[in-house]
């Protein structure tokens, strides 16, 4: 039975990840060479994208056959298995950053490498493909930055189609990371708390967020971050949804929480300002009215947290 749809961009990955096949090296080699398999090349962590066929059609991910991609790989190129699509094709992501940009050579005139965030914001490729690109980007980024053993410093080898690295010297195993982050909307009656980080674009307010620390539960992280950043005490933390966030590999865990206190004290470091907004103000802003501030667009989980709470009132 299918899962309920998740409202967040980069979620709802449609592939079968076939984790049981990753250890089967013969199967993996066969799929990597199979002319029916497809590769999406990445260059500087940007996926290859084909232009629109007609205006308004949307762009397509540049899924290329092995014979177009394999000649451009070097012995150090990272290639990871993404999964099997509904047509039974094996899909791979491969990093070609070590060589000359193929946009100017082998792929000239076909398309270009594009920033994933821009593609997500503009809604130019389908949600399912955005989710697959998030998976590919996080995986490639991890391999490029984790070539050496964290235990002994020796160069490590990629194993299991990219889902593990093993140190040939001390035998330590290393797995691709996912870093959990809580992002939460604290509410009190008919008001919700939003804050501004100094780096935010002018006028934007969003949900508060922070990394979960070792040995901490989701609820404890929500309560700690709310107290540290805004001086607000919360209770009754409720989970809403999660969003994979490939910058480089966070998992945003969206929650709502009830504030027990109202007086805001910002830390001045992570937040420069935080204040309470009424449900009516937020409803108007979501509907596109100018109220002198704005909230993140629909591709951000903060938007979904705000919208869910507004729609309940
Ligand atoms: Zn080692």
């Amino acid at each position: 039975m299918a899962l309920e749809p998740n409202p967040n961009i980069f979620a709802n990955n449609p592939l079968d990840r076939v984790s049981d096949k990753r250890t089967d090296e013969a199967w993996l080699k066969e799929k990597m060479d199979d002319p029916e398999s497809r590769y999406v090349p990445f260059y500087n962590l940007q996926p290859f994208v084909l232009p629109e066929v007609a205006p308004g059609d949307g762009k397509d991910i540049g899924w290329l056959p092995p014979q177009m991609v394999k000649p451009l790989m070097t012995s150090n190129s990272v290639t990871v298995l993404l999964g099997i699509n509904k047509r039974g094709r094996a899909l791979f992501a491969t990093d070609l950053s070590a060589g000359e940009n193929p946009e100017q050579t082998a792929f000239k005139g076909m398309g270009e490498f594009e920033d994933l965030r821009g593609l997500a914001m503009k809604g130019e490729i389908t949600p399912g493909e955005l989710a697959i690109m998030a998976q590919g980007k996080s995986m490639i980024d991890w391999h490029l930055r984790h070539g050496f053993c964290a235990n002994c410093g020796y160069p490590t080898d990629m194993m299991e189609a990219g889902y593990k690295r093993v140190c040939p010297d001390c035998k330590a195993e290393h797995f691709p990371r996912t870093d959990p982050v809580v992002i939460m909307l604290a509410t009190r009656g008919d008001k919700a708390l939003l804050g501004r980080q100094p780096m935010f674009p002018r006028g934007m307010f969003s949900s508060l967020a922070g990394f979960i620390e070792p040995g901490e539960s989701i609820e404890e992280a929500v309560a700690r971050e709310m107290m540290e950043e805004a001086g607000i005490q919360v209770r009754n933390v409720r989970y809403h949804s999660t969003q994979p966030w490939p910058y480089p590999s966070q998992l945003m865990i969206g929650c709502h929480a009830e504030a027990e206190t109202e007086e805001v004290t910002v830390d001045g470091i992570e937040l420069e300002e935080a204040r309470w907004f009424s449900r009516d103000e937020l409803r108007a802003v979501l509907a596109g009215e100018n109220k002198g501030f704005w909230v993140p667009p629909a591709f951000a989980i903060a938007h979904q947290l705000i919208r869910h709470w507004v729609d309940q009132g």
Side-chain angles (χ1 to χ4, degrees):
M1 196 168 138
L3 292 173
E4 314 236 316
N6 180 319
N8 300 307
I9 289 293
F10 298 133
N12 307 299
N13 189 320
L15 299 184
D16 178 352
R17 294 185 180 228
V18 288
S19 55
D20 57 323
K21 295 284 194 192
R22 294 171 189 162
T23 50
D24 185 343
E25 291 196 18
W27 178 88
L28 188 64
K29 184 170 184 329
E30 185 201 315
K31 289 296 176 193
M32 288 181 79
D33 293 335
D34 184 346
E36 290 296 309
S37 295
R38 290 292 177 268
Y39 287 71
V40 55
F42 276 73
Y43 197 87
N44 292 339
L45 301 174
Q46 297 186 339
F48 191 60
V49 177
L50 308 182
E52 291 186 319
V53 175
D57 269 3
K59 297 178 177 176
D60 291 308
I61 290 302
W63 292 112
L64 305 178
Q67 64 269 27
M68 286 190 70
V69 178
K70 294 190 85 169
L72 303 176
M73 293 181 191
T74 67
S75 56
N76 295 326
S77 293
V78 168
T79 297
V80 300
L81 174 69
L82 297 167
I84 303 288
N85 72 7
K86 63 185 179 187
R87 292 192 169 82
R89 283 184 170 176
L91 303 183
F92 295 89
T94 194
D95 174 52
L96 299 179
S97 308
E100 207 181 335
N101 188 342
E103 210 175 277
Q104 310 302 333
T105 55
F107 306 158
K108 196 173 171 80
M110 289 174 55
E112 47 192 29
F113 293 96
E114 290 200 38
D115 174 56
L116 190 54
R117 192 189 303 246
L119 290 167
M121 280 182 74
K122 290 184 241 158
E124 289 180 323
I125 59 175
T126 65
E129 297 225 280
L130 280 175
I132 300 169
M133 292 309 106
Q135 177 193 4
K137 178 180 182 292
S138 284
M139 290 287 290
I140 287 173
D141 194 2
W142 180 75
H143 282 287
L144 295 180
R145 291 182 298 115
H146 292 80
F148 294 89
C149 180
N151 189 44
C152 75
Y154 203 85
T156 52
D157 298 324
M158 195 174 99
M159 312 283 276
E160 298 187 8
Y163 292 81
K164 183 159 110 173
R165 296 190 75 90
V166 177
C167 176
D169 196 44
C170 78
K171 311 298 178 209
E173 297 182 332
H174 304 281
F175 297 92
R177 334 174 22 154
T178 295
D179 300 321
V181 172
V182 285
I183 178 163
M184 54 278 174
L185 186 67
T187 60
R188 185 163 167 82
D190 223 33
K191 293 179 295 191
L193 187 79
L194 299 178
R196 267 190 60 73
Q197 292 177 20
M199 58 176 281
F200 279 4
R202 196 173 156 173
M204 188 178 95
F205 282 80
S206 186
S207 305
L208 278 54
F211 283 98
I212 297 183
E213 295 189 349
E216 196 171 45
S217 70
I218 291 173
E219 294 84 353
E220 287 161 354
V222 166
R224 176 181 54 76
E225 287 286 343
M226 288 299 305
M227 180 53 73
E228 285 175 5
E229 292 189 11
I232 297 290
Q233 209 171 332
V234 297
R235 61 189 287 276
N236 192 16
V237 175
R238 283 149 298 139
Y239 167 77
H240 176 264
S241 61
T242 49
Q243 178 176 43
W245 193 245
Y247 303 95
S249 56
Q250 278 88 277
L251 180 67
M252 308 298 290
I253 304 170
C255 295
H256 291 99
E258 283 174 29
E260 287 193 300
T261 59
E262 272 186 43
E263 193 181 319
V264 175
T265 314
V266 293
D267 63 5
I269 304 160
E270 294 198 55
L271 287 189
E272 63 178 19
E273 187 183 353
R275 59 184 170 99
W276 295 96
F277 294 86
S278 75
R279 207 187 301 250
D280 286 342
E281 273 179 295
L282 290 170
R283 185 179 285 118
V285 163
L286 290 178
E289 284 179 41
N290 184 358
K291 293 278 173 188
F293 72 98
W294 53 285
V295 299
F299 85 96
I301 188 171
H303 181 102
Q304 302 301 337
L305 292 173
I306 296 167
R307 181 170 291 279
H308 180 91
W309 177 74
V310 164
D311 286 348
Q312 287 199 321

